[in-house]
Amino acid sequence: EYFLATIYVPQNSIGFQFLASFGTNLEIVEPKTYVEEFRGYLNKMVEKYTSKSSH
């Protein structure tokens, strides 16, 4: 089942951390600027675990 909910979450790291806690059980659909910033936040998390040469 799917639910569509409208909630107001700050567009900053605190809000992003809250939303990330839902894992794959959440999809943000709008506003697009929020989606883009959240994607950037998640990409920064992934970069920390992407194999690279030593720091």
Side-chain angles (χ1 to χ4, degrees):
E1 290 185 49
Y2 294 92
F3 298 95
L4 179 61
T6 300
I7 60 171
Y8 298 94
V9 179
Q11 192 166 343
N12 59 32
S13 62
I14 293 170
F16 296 157
Q17 287 172 25
F18 170 71
L19 293 173
S21 73
F22 288 92
T24 57
N25 296 313
L26 171 77
E27 180 180 352
I28 303 167
V29 294
E30 60 182 350
K32 297 300 181 194
T33 55
Y34 198 104
V35 174
E36 291 168 9
E37 283 196 39
F38 185 62
R39 180 184 300 119
Y41 175 81
L42 295 175
N43 282 333
K44 286 180 184 176
M45 289 177 60
V46 170
E47 285 173 11
K48 290 190 179 291
Y49 300 98
T50 302
S51 55
K52 308 179 222 177
S53 57
S54 59
H55 297 256

